[in-house]
Amino acid sequence: MITAYEAAPESPTNPTWEEADRLNGVGIAYLYFDQPEAAWAVQQRALQIARQIGDAAREQGILTQMATTATKLGDDQAIAFYQQEIAQAQQTGDRALEATLLQQLGLAYFTVGDQINALASYTDYLPIVQELGWVNEELTALSTLAGIYLGQRQLQAAITTAEQAITLARQQGNDAQLQQQLSQIGQTYRLAGQPLAAIAAYQEAIDLAERQGRLATAFTPRQQLGYLYEAQGETARAIALYETNQAEAEAAAEPLWQAWSWDDLAMAYFQQGELALAIAAQQTAVTLHEAAPGANELPTGKATSLEQLGWLYAKANRWPEAEAAAQAAIAIHSRLVTQTQNLGGIFAQTTDDLNVNLREGFRNAYTTLQLSLIAQGRPEAALIAAEASRAQSIAELLASQVTSAPATPTAPLDLPRIQAIARAQNTTIVEYSLIYNRPHSFNHYRFGALPWEETLLIWVVQPNGQIDQRQVDLTDLWPAAVDPDAGADQPTPLQTMVRRSRATIGVRDRGVDPATTAITDTASTDTAITDRSNRSATEPASDRRPDAAAPANNFTYARLQRLHQILIAPIADLLPTDP
C-alpha cells in the first residue's frame, strides 16, 4: 500500500504542495514501519518540491520530519544533516529555518551526550528566537541552557539563566513554565549551597500549583523540598510533605504516584530510626508499583522499590527476605536490560554507555544480595553475585569495541570457572566488593553525593579451589582518614585512596583479556578480581607491587600503609608467600 501511494505520478514541470504532502506522509509511514532509509528517500523528494514551489512553511515542516528520520539513521548522520541545512539557511538568510534547525541540532548533540556542542547550539539559537519574537521558544531556550549549565555544574550561569527565564515567564503569565523554572532553580540553589533560596523557590512552585488547582504538578517540588529538608536533618518536615503527596495521589486514584510517595516515606522513616515503619511503608510501595498501569511493561519503579525493600530487610537482619527482594529486583533489571538492548539505536546513547548505565541499576540489589548470602553462610554464592554485578558489563564493553554491532550477551563467571582459572594458572584470585551505608539513588537525590563505603567484602580463591571470605569494617574511614591532598576536613573514600596511590607510584590499570575472562584490577569499579600468581611473573614488576624506591612524600607512604592494612593485612595469611 505504501509503495503504491509513493508511486503516484508527480508533475516534474508543475509540482504542487499536495505532492509534497503526499511524499512526506509516505516518509512518515515508512518511519512508522521502521524503514528509515525508504523514509529518507521520499522525504528528500518532498523537500525538493517544497523548495521548488517556494513554500517555506512546508519546507520547515518536512525538514523537521527529516530530522527525526536522520536520527533513526544514526546520530552522526542527523548532526551532519542539521549542520548542512543550517549553513544553507544562513546563506539564504532564512532566520526562522535556521532557528528551527539549531534547536534540532542541539537536541541531536544531547542524544550523543555532547553537552558542549549542545550548549553552543542553544547559545546560537537564543538570540535568533529573541530577534524573531518567539517568546515560547525563548523560554524553552533559556530553560534548556539553564539545565545544561546545571548539568555542567556551572551553577552561577545556571542561576542567572534560570532567573531570566523566570522573569520572562512572569511577564508572559506562563504559569507552567514559571513553575518548571522555579523547581529547576531550586535544585540549582541547593547545589550552590543556598538552601534558603532553594526553599523559597520550591515553596513558590508548590503555592503556584495549588492556587491554579494543578495539584499533580505540586508533587515534584514537594518531593524536592522534602529531599532538601532531609539533607538538613529536618526529617519530620520532609515526612509532612511526602504525606501530603501520598494523600493527594490516593484521592486522585493514582497508584504510581502513591507508590512514589511511599518510597519517599519509607526512607524518611528509616532516617528517623523507625525501621519497622520504614519496611511497612516500602512493602506498601512495592504493592502499589505492581498495581500501577503499565507496571509489567516497564517496571523500573518496582525494581527500585524492591531494591530499597531488600536493603531495609538487610538493616533489620531479615536475611532470607532481603535475598528474595534483591533477587526479584535483579530479575526485573535483567529483563529491562534485554528489552532495551533489543530496541537498537532509538536511545540517546552509544551501546557501550547505554549498557553500563543500565547495569548501574543492579548495584544496590547485588550488594544486598551479597550481604544476605554471607549472613546465611553461603559465601561462595555471594562471590558469584559479586562477580555477576560487574563482569558482564565489562565483558560486553570490550566485545563491543571490536565491532559496531551490539555486543553479544556474555555470561558472568560461575564458581567452577573461577576455580578452574585459579587451578589452570596456579593463581590465587582475590575479589573485592564494596558495600555502602545507603543506596546510591537515595544518597544522590537527598544529599547530592555518593554514600559512604561501609564494608569491604574479600574473597580469596586458592589454586586448589578452596574459597575463604573476609570482611573489613570501613566506618573508621568516615571521620578519621583524612587525605592531605584533599584538605584537612575531607575524609577520603577507599576508592579515591586506591586511585591516587596508584597514580602517585605510576602503576597502570591492567586491561582485561576478553578471550579468557572478565577479571580486572581497577579502582573505578565497586567489585574487582585481582590475582597474585604463584608462578614466575608474567607482568612488569611495576604492575605487581610498588617500586622499592622511597615514596614521593610522607602522605603517599602513609596512604599506602593504610591501604595495606585494609586490602592485604586481613587476607595476608591466605596469600602466597612468594608471589
Side-chain angles (χ1 to χ4, degrees):
M1 181 66 180
I2 296 177
T3 304
Y5 195 44
E6 178 188 355
E10 298 177 21
S11 172
T13 59
N14 189 29
T16 65
W17 63 265
E18 290 92 348
E19 292 174 6
D21 284 355
R22 174 178 60 80
L23 289 169
N24 194 37
V26 171
I28 294 172
Y30 274 130
L31 201 59
Y32 177 81
F33 288 104
D34 198 23
Q35 299 180 48
E37 292 84 0
W40 185 258
V42 295
Q43 285 169 343
Q44 284 184 314
R45 287 157 55 190
L47 179 63
Q48 182 180 6
I49 291 173
R51 285 175 171 168
Q52 188 174 347
I53 64 178
D55 193 328
R58 274 189 169 76
E59 178 185 358
Q60 187 169 332
I62 293 168
L63 281 170
T64 300
Q65 187 59 46
M66 290 180 73
T68 302
T69 307
T71 301
K72 293 285 186 180
L73 292 169
D75 295 321
D76 291 340
Q77 180 164 338
I79 289 170
F81 168 73
Y82 296 137
Q83 291 171 333
Q84 173 185 325
E85 294 299 327
I86 287 169
Q88 183 166 336
Q90 289 171 339
Q91 289 177 357
T92 61
D94 191 334
R95 298 289 273 171
L97 181 58
E98 182 184 356
T100 300
L101 291 167
L102 279 168
Q103 183 189 34
Q104 294 293 331
L105 178 61
L107 291 173
Y109 280 127
F110 267 128
T111 68
V112 295
D114 187 349
Q115 290 206 5
I116 301 298
N117 278 313
L119 177 62
S121 297
Y122 276 96
T123 299
D124 292 341
Y125 172 69
L126 177 60
I128 297 177
V129 296
Q130 289 172 330
E131 170 192 324
L132 295 170
W134 294 359
V135 178
N136 289 336
E137 286 75 8
E138 181 181 357
L139 268 173
T140 300
L142 288 168
S143 174
T144 303
L145 284 168
I148 296 173
Y149 286 132
L150 176 60
Q152 293 185 328
R153 292 302 187 264
Q154 299 184 42
L155 299 181
Q156 189 52 57
I159 290 172
T160 300
T161 308
E163 286 174 343
Q164 294 176 29
I166 289 171
T167 299
L168 184 58
R170 292 191 200 278
Q171 292 172 350
Q172 297 299 317
N174 190 330
D175 290 339
Q177 274 284 356
L178 176 58
Q179 186 189 11
Q180 177 183 335
Q181 293 310 309
L182 286 167
S183 294
Q184 181 165 291
I185 203 171
Q187 182 183 4
T188 310
Y189 281 137
R190 178 183 171 187
L191 290 174
Q194 302 179 42
L196 294 180
I199 290 170
Y202 285 138
Q203 191 60 59
E204 185 179 354
I206 294 168
D207 293 343
L208 180 62
E210 291 177 345
R211 283 200 307 271
Q212 299 296 324
R214 297 196 307 271
L215 298 181
T217 57
F219 187 98
T220 298
R222 276 200 206 103
Q223 184 183 53
Q224 294 297 322
L225 182 54
Y227 293 166
L228 176 54
Y229 281 140
E230 282 194 70
Q232 292 185 313
E234 299 183 70
T235 309
R237 299 183 72 174
I239 288 174
L241 290 165
Y242 303 151
E243 287 176 339
T244 300
N245 272 350
Q246 190 278 324
E248 292 189 358
E250 185 175 3
E254 290 284 354
L256 185 57
W257 291 1
Q258 291 182 67
W260 290 336
S261 300
W262 283 109
D263 283 331
D264 290 335
L265 282 166
M267 299 309 289
Y269 291 147
F270 173 79
Q271 289 285 88
Q272 279 197 325
E274 301 281 355
L275 183 54
L277 195 59
I279 290 173
Q282 197 65 66
Q283 290 170 330
T284 301
V286 171
T287 301
L288 287 164
H289 276 294
E290 291 172 342
N296 292 327
E297 286 75 22
L298 197 64
T300 51
K302 179 182 175 183
T304 301
S305 198
L306 281 166
E307 283 180 344
Q308 288 190 179
L309 180 59
W311 184 80
L312 290 169
Y313 279 142
K315 289 296 180 182
N317 295 326
R318 294 167 62 172
W319 299 113
E321 292 160 297
E323 178 188 354
Q327 291 279 26
I330 291 168
I332 294 174
H333 277 303
S334 298
R335 179 159 63 90
L336 288 171
V337 168
T338 301
Q339 289 175 343
T340 304
Q341 288 174 332
N342 289 340
L343 291 175
I346 70 170
F347 288 93
Q349 294 177 338
T350 65
T351 301
D352 291 347
D353 289 340
L354 177 62
N355 185 39
V356 171
N357 287 340
L358 285 169
R359 296 193 180 281
E360 189 71 9
F362 287 71
R363 181 199 300 257
N364 297 325
Y366 268 117
T367 55
T368 296
L369 180 60
Q370 292 166 48
L371 284 176
S372 63
L373 291 169
I374 289 172
Q376 296 176 83
R378 295 151 62 192
E380 294 86 357
L383 170 61
I384 300 310
E387 169 60 18
S389 71
R390 54 162 287 281
Q392 188 155 339
S393 61
I394 292 175
E396 290 176 3
L397 176 62
L398 287 163
S400 68
Q401 289 174 345
V402 298
T403 174
S404 59
T408 302
T410 305
L413 295 175
D414 56 18
L415 188 60
R417 288 179 65 198
I418 293 174
Q419 292 173 316
I421 292 170
R423 188 179 305 111
Q425 299 185 12
N426 192 29
T427 296
T428 298
I429 297 177
V430 179
E431 177 152 348
Y432 297 93
S433 182
L434 283 169
I435 306 298
Y436 294 84
N437 67 324
R438 294 191 185 99
H440 280 66
S441 58
F442 171 83
N443 239 58
H444 172 73
Y445 289 117
R446 267 74 168 183
F447 307 109
L450 290 174
W452 287 109
E453 298 150 338
E454 187 171 53
T455 305
L456 179 66
L457 305 180
I458 312 176
W459 291 264
V460 180
V461 184
Q462 303 288 353
N464 63 6
Q466 177 182 333
I467 297 176
D468 295 279
Q469 197 276 323
R470 304 278 170 86
Q471 297 187 35
V472 180
D473 183 358
L474 300 178
T475 56
D476 64 334
L477 290 177
W478 299 355
V482 176
D483 183 352
D485 297 339
D489 298 324
Q490 298 184 33
T492 305
L494 176 60
Q495 290 188 76
T496 303
M497 291 173 65
V498 171
R499 187 163 51 250
R500 287 178 176 171
S501 297
R502 291 175 65 89
T504 300
I505 62 178
V507 177
R508 298 179 292 106
D509 281 343
R510 281 177 291 185
V512 182
D513 180 3
T516 56
T517 176
I519 294 179
T520 186
D521 174 10
T522 170
S524 63
T525 55
D526 285 348
T527 312
I529 296 181
T530 64
D531 66 89
R532 296 175 62 87
S533 176
N534 290 326
R535 300 171 294 121
S536 59
T538 58
E539 309 175 47
S542 61
D543 278 353
R544 298 199 319 276
R545 60 175 69 85
D547 192 278
N553 53 57
N554 290 334
F555 295 147
T556 300
Y557 182 67
R559 191 158 54 216
L560 289 173
Q561 281 188 316
R562 189 71 179 105
L563 285 175
H564 185 275
Q565 293 171 0
I566 296 170
L567 301 175
I568 304 302
I571 56 171
D573 60 310
L574 303 173
L575 298 177
T577 57
D578 185 22

